[in-house]
Structures are given as C-alpha cells and as structure tokens.
Amino acid sequence: MKPFIGVQELRNDLRAKKYSAVELAHFYLNRISELNGSINGFITVDSERCLERAALADRQLAHSNPHPLCGIPIAHKDLFCTKGVRTTCASNMLGSFIAPYDATVVKQTAEAGTVSLGKTNMDEFAMGSSNETSWFGVVRNPWNLNCVPGGSSGGTAASVSSGMTPLATGSDTGGSIRQPASLCGITGLKPTYGRVSRFGMIAFASSLDQGGPLAHSATDVYELLAAMEGHDPMDSTSADVENTTLPAGDRSFVIGYPESLFDDLDSDIAGCIERARLQFEALGHKIEVVELPHIDAAVAAYYVISSAEASTNLARYDGVRYGHRTEVSEDLLDMYCQSRTEGFGLEVKRRILTGTYSLSVGYFDAYYLKAQKIRRLVRDGFLTAFENVDMILAPVTPTTAFEFNSMKADPVEMYKQDLYTIPVSLAGLPALSLPCGFVNDLPVGMQLIGRHFAEGEVLAGGMAFQDRTDWHEHHPTLESASAL
Ligand code: GLN
C-alpha cells in the first residue's frame, strides 16, 4: 500500500480484495502514528471506533451494491460534532466536550460507509489563517515543517497533503478550506452557502459558515461532496436543491479573468495562474476579462460581519450551559468572566470584543449595517460578472506558505491573507481551490469560482485541468517529518 492513492484506486482495490477495509484503516493509522508527532494534523485519533467501522465496511463490501465510498478512510475537522467522541473546536473552552450527537455531515459520510480516523486540528473556533491559534498546538506544513499549513482547516489540509488520510472535511467561512488547500498543494471545495448542512457544525459566523470536502483531486472532492450535501430540515438555511451533477459531455466554458485582482499579486504566483489560464484556453475554453467592483472593501466588511456573528454565537460558552468552567471564582459574574478568560484564546477574544463593539448601540449603523451593504455590493458585482461568464479564475492567496510567527504581531496582515477568498464567501458562491504550480518548492493554488449551486461546473473545470496537468500529483517527501 502507498499513501497518496485516490478514491477510484482505493475503491477498485477494496472491491478486488487486494486488501480489506480493516487493513486499509491500519495502514492509515500507522501512517498517523509515524507522522502526526511532527505534523500535528490530528487532535484526536479514534483507532478503536475506526477499526470497528472498518470491520462494518468489510461486511458491507461483501454484499452487492455497497456505497461508492464504502471502506474509504476519512477525517473530520474538529468542529463537526461526533457522537461519543471529543469535539474541541481546538479550544480549551471545549477541551473535554464529548458531543452527544453527530453532525449531519458526520452522519451522512458514516452512512456512506467511510471510515473515520479521527478529528483534525484547526484554528481555535475556525478563526485564523495559519493554524497557529489552536489550543492543541500549531500544525506544520508537510512541504516545509517551518511553515504554516494555512487555516483554519490547517489540520485537515496537512493530513491529506501528508497522506495521513485520503479524504477529509473542512469548513470555510472566509477561506478556511481554499487557503489551506492552496498552501498544502491539495484540492478543496467551498460549496455554495446552504449546499452542505451546518447542523452539528460548531458555529463561528452562521451566515457564512459552510462545510466542504478536501482531497487530492477534483474527482475525489466531487465524490466526497456527494456524501456530504443535501437538504437537511435540521438546518434552517439548508437549501432544498438538486444534488451536484457534472455537466454532460466535454463542455467548453467561458472563464472570467478578473485582471485587476492580479495587479498587486506576487509575480511568481501570478505567473502560475497565468500559465493555468493558457492551459484552459488550450483546452478549448474561452477567457474573458471581468471586473469585480468593491472587492477592496470585502476584507473589512467580512471582519465586521463575521466577528459580530461570532460574538453572539460564542455568548453561549459561559461555563454553565456550555464549556470550560473555572475552578476559582468569587461570585457568579466572576465565574462567567474567569471561565471565558481561561477558555478562550487571544484571537477569539479579539473577535468577541470587536464583534460586540460593532453591534452595540450607537455603532451598529456605522459598522454592521455598512458592512452588510458592502456585502450586497460584492455579491451584485459577482452576479453581474456571471451574466457573461460561466466561472471565474482567481488567485487563492497572496503568498505561499509563510513561516511560523511571521504574521502574529499584526493581525491585520494575517487578515489580508483572505483578500481573494473573502469576497466569494460574502457572496455565498461555490469555489474550488486547486494546485497550479510551485514557487520556491512551495505549492501555489488557484480558485475557480462558480455561480450559486454550480459546483458541477467548477468541478468539471477542475477535472479537465487535472486531466492535463499533474500539479495535484506532486506530494511532499516528508523525510524530515518521519525522522523527527
Ligand atoms: N481566516 C479567516 C478568519 O480568520 C477565515 C476563517 C474561516 O474561513 N473559518 O476569519
């Protein structure tokens, strides 16, 4: 067995009985034991349940018509509730929280027969772009252990990239699937808001949060999306739409190129995406320049809206109804204060404070309301562009993976990491992040942004690109990681 196998090959091997689901689970559990000490992609490895589920998958595989993902290992970002298993959101606040029920995503993927290896590391409450805010320690980028994997789904991306799991779930509020996918050289999809149920996914900013798949290729991402998506009456913003299908035949698309977005982009990164643009043309797709107005205001609007929503969502962690409770307090109020002081990390506190401020009387109109208006303008800008094009090709990140602590001193520098991902989130659109080159031996990604619920089109675009290129087939060597 080898670590970087795609879903199709794993499925063929399982069905041809080259190995059993139990043997496959052992293989990945061993790889996690070998590498997780240095990568720190997993917070919880659930070997016992994993092997039980693998044995169940073997029984299902012995019958006719098992689900296409039956027996295939998966890992879940540690904000998806998993019944009976610790679900921490990488926070001390939930450090010992055992979820009493499964998130819909966890339930659906389990029903599909996937075998969960455990829960992956992330930025605390999904706030961050570097996975440096986790209570459970930083995650290292498999391509260079001195660099961050991105965030907040950094543990997920690093675990897939290092071959500790072939499939994994993440969540994206302002870029948290696409940015780590890009920095770790893998493929990840942020679905349309409402495509994947949020039930049981611990909330950060509810009007933006969206779960999605990460894997080695657009094809594998598509397979996992099929097991995650669907209308869920338990989530009031879940969309009642047809599941994703790929467009029939070899469709040629009109791909929008937002030229002005590339003006300030690092020229080496821009060069990789430019090369991809030529590749799309060579494949018979048409490129058309598009304008995306108001993008420059998107980061500011996002941090107002997402922090406002976070401040209300996180109000529930008071040490009584939910979360860590302090052992020393003088009275009730002091207990709330101490519990929250001890339970939350610095970045989470910063968001609660700024969010509460922008929602408070006297500031609401100047900040929150204004940010909502910008959100509408950004969305309208995309909808206008989509009158002429089927999808938009854009950068994912302004830099490749950066070194630890290099952006910690100035949070705004870190927020700027999300320059290209946030507008898509504000508009609620789907976007696929996929590898398109390397700069100084570190992966570079690009994103294909689609119309609402047009995941099939961006996935088809990504598959066509990956059919002709092998950027997604490059893997880190990890010699130093296993030696650590
Ligand atoms: N980096 C962004 C933030 O910190 C996005 C996070 C996310 O998408 N969960 O808010």
Side-chain angles (χ1 to χ4, degrees):
M1 258 178 254
K2 50 190 196 302
F4 302 107
I5 311 180
V7 167
Q8 178 71 47
E9 195 179 336
L10 289 171
R11 177 162 52 236
N12 291 347
D13 289 355
L14 284 168
R15 306 227 168 154
K17 300 202 166 29
K18 241 169 121 178
Y19 39 78
S20 67
V22 168
E23 284 168 325
L24 186 61
H26 272 298
F27 170 78
Y28 281 102
L29 289 171
N30 286 340
R31 187 151 172 98
I32 294 169
S33 320
E34 186 193 343
L35 293 176
N36 200 45
S38 50
I39 304 281
N40 201 24
F42 280 81
I43 290 178
T44 303
V45 181
D46 191 9
S47 313
E48 203 176 306
R49 276 166 207 262
C50 169
L51 293 170
E52 274 169 29
R53 293 203 51 81
L56 175 69
D58 276 329
R59 291 197 290 281
Q60 287 166 343
L61 283 163
H63 292 105
S64 62
N65 241 347
H67 187 282
L69 293 182
C70 186
I72 306 217
I74 192 170
H76 292 295
K77 184 173 181 177
D78 206 17
L79 49 50
F80 288 104
C81 286
T82 34
K83 189 174 177 180
V85 179
R86 190 164 68 140
T87 300
T88 70
C89 236
S91 180
N92 185 28
M93 186 53 94
L94 292 174
S96 53
F97 172 60
I98 308 283
Y101 66 98
D102 277 332
T104 299
V105 160
V106 171
K107 184 165 163 269
Q108 286 185 189
T109 49
E111 281 166 6
T114 61
V115 174
S116 175
L117 298 158
K119 311 292 294 292
T120 56
N121 206 341
M122 54 185 281
D123 276 301
E124 185 180 4
F125 279 100
M127 299 171 191
S129 306
S130 66
N131 221 127
E132 290 173 290
T133 72
S134 168
W135 172 256
F136 296 89
V138 301
V139 176
R140 294 180 185 279
N141 190 313
W143 289 92
N144 180 339
L145 299 178
N146 297 317
C147 290
V148 306
S152 65
S153 310
T156 288
S159 298
V160 173
S161 165
S162 58
M164 292 196 280
T165 179
L167 294 175
T169 57
S171 71
D172 191 313
T173 304
S176 279
I177 288 176
R178 291 162 287 157
Q179 187 253 16
S182 173
L183 266 44
C184 290
I186 62 165
T187 306
L189 176 78
K190 177 218 169 288
T192 309
Y193 181 77
R195 168 71 85 187
V196 170
S197 170
R198 290 185 298 112
F199 180 69
M201 188 173 96
I202 296 176
F204 161 12
S206 308
S207 76
L208 295 154
D209 294 344
Q210 183 58 203
L214 294 96
H216 287 297
S217 66
T219 312
D220 288 3
V221 159
Y222 172 55
E223 293 222 25
L224 180 51
L225 177 67
M228 292 172 78
E229 67 183 341
H231 178 244
D232 181 7
M234 299 300 281
D235 169 2
S236 61
T237 59
S238 161
D240 198 356
V241 291
E242 297 279 307
N243 281 354
T244 305
T245 49
L246 297 173
D250 260 352
R251 245 188 78 186
S252 72
F253 296 110
V254 183
I255 301 180
Y257 200 65
E259 234 168 28
S260 57
L261 279 197
F262 292 82
D263 287 348
D264 297 326
L265 182 62
D266 171 278
S267 60
D268 291 332
I269 295 182
C272 293
I273 303 174
E274 169 74 7
R275 187 177 50 211
R277 185 184 80 128
L278 297 174
Q279 213 115 33
F280 278 116
E281 274 180 321
L283 286 169
H285 303 293
K286 196 163 164 251
I287 304 288
E288 222 162 84
V289 173
V290 289
E291 292 298 322
L292 292 175
H294 311 294
I295 293 279
D296 49 343
V299 171
Y302 165 86
Y303 276 94
V304 170
I305 295 169
S306 62
S307 302
E309 293 184 17
S311 73
T312 54
N313 273 329
L314 271 56
R316 76 190 66 173
Y317 303 103
D318 56 9
V320 178
R321 291 169 300 168
Y322 292 97
H324 166 83
R325 183 185 298 185
T326 186
E327 287 182 359
V328 270
S329 58
E330 284 168 12
D331 52 32
L332 185 64
L333 190 61
D334 190 43
M335 190 196 76
Y336 292 146
C337 289
Q338 283 309 321
S339 298
R340 287 169 72 81
T341 302
E342 292 166 15
F344 291 134
L346 193 65
E347 184 59 29
V348 174
K349 285 175 185 153
R350 184 181 287 128
R351 309 272 180 125
I352 292 173
L353 285 176
T354 53
T356 306
Y357 179 81
S358 66
L359 286 178
S360 54
V361 179
Y363 297 103
F364 183 88
D365 289 7
Y367 295 105
Y368 187 74
L369 203 62
K370 196 163 179 188
Q372 291 290 16
K373 289 179 182 167
I374 293 169
R375 180 175 192 174
R376 172 52 70 96
L377 289 172
V378 170
R379 181 176 190 270
D380 289 350
F382 274 110
L383 296 187
T384 307
F386 281 127
E387 284 171 11
N388 300 316
V389 299
D390 298 309
M391 62 185 81
I392 294 171
L393 172 64
V396 184
T397 56
T399 64
T400 51
F402 45 93
E403 288 190 5
F404 290 103
N405 298 320
S406 58
M407 294 206 196
K408 256 187 163 169
D410 182 1
V412 176
E413 270 313 298
M414 187 77 87
Y415 297 170
K416 285 195 202 148
Q417 267 295 311
D418 310 325
L419 204 62
Y420 304 111
T421 49
I422 274 176
V424 177
S425 305
L426 289 178
L429 298 165
L432 181 73
S433 170
L434 66 165
C436 65
F438 287 86
V439 172
N440 296 332
D441 298 327
L442 288 169
V444 174
M446 60 179 178
Q447 57 179 334
L448 288 173
I449 307 162
R451 295 189 181 99
H452 289 117
F453 300 106
E455 281 84 351
E457 294 192 351
V458 293
L459 285 163
M463 288 175 195
F465 181 80
Q466 291 183 338
D467 266 353
R468 297 294 182 87
T469 56
D470 68 355
W471 301 115
H472 62 296
E473 284 164 0
H474 290 243
H475 304 294
T477 53
L478 289 159
E479 274 159 25
S480 50
S482 24
L484 276 181

